[in-house]
Amino acid sequence: MQGLSAMMRSYPLPHTATQRKLDAVAELLPWWQRGLVHVQLLQVRRLRAGNQTLGWLGGSSARELPSYLSARQWKSVVNQVNAALEGWRTAAVDGVRNLIRALDVDEELRAELYRINVRRGWWCERLILDTATGAEATAEGLSRARELIGTAAETAPVSQPEHGPHHGNGRTDRNG
């Protein structure tokens, strides 16, 4: 392992990067963290508006991203946020399912709530439950689903990137 230097984290991590590269990465980390927070706020807002799919921020959302990261870096940030939110949504399905089991409701509403939950339609204003018949979720079912996801989010909140290991330094002077 001659020529490899090691940086201490919770364990030694061998690498071949020069000190200059390490410094460049260290300089980028606060901006990356800031980007994670920014994109997560946008993506969570989209989910709570009833959009069921995550993906690249297109159109005006992409054009309005700050210039402190490159387009390639923004794509990686969006992918990282989407992966974290997808993991949270998968866990939320289980959490909401457990809450539905504990509800004292009639079986018809319980079945509808299970169907809303499996489609992750918690924040939808309108949700097709069966494409073959065109059956839609009722207003009561959607309202209860919003209550349930709120309860589930209290016990397992969406991760907060600003509480991660790399905190931004609060600077706002880098390229915008």
Side-chain angles (χ1 to χ4, degrees), residues 31-102:
W31 299 104
W32 191 275
Q33 188 71 36
R34 187 175 174 190
L36 289 171
V37 172
H38 184 87
V39 171
Q40 182 168 315
L41 289 171
L42 293 173
Q43 295 294 61
V44 168
R45 188 177 301 147
R46 288 176 64 197
L47 288 174
R48 290 191 174 175
N51 188 336
Q52 291 182 269
T53 57
L54 295 169
W56 175 245
L57 299 171
S60 63
S61 294
R63 283 190 297 277
E64 293 171 3
L65 290 172
S67 61
Y68 54 81
L69 294 175
S70 69
R72 178 180 288 185
Q73 290 166 338
W74 277 117
K75 183 169 181 4
S76 295
V77 165
V78 169
N79 289 342
Q80 186 176 348
V81 168
N82 287 350
L85 287 175
E86 187 60 29
W88 178 85
R89 291 170 71 199
T90 299
V93 168
D94 292 338
V96 170
R97 182 184 314 117
N98 292 334
L99 292 171
I100 294 169
R101 280 189 198 121

Side-chain angles (χ1 to χ4, degrees), residues 97-116:
R97 182 184 314 117
N98 292 334
L99 292 171
I100 294 169
R101 280 189 198 121
L103 286 178
D104 183 23
V105 295
D106 64 67
E107 289 307 308
E108 188 175 320
L109 179 56
R110 184 181 314 279
E112 179 181 3
L113 289 170
Y114 281 132
R115 293 172 79 189
I116 292 169

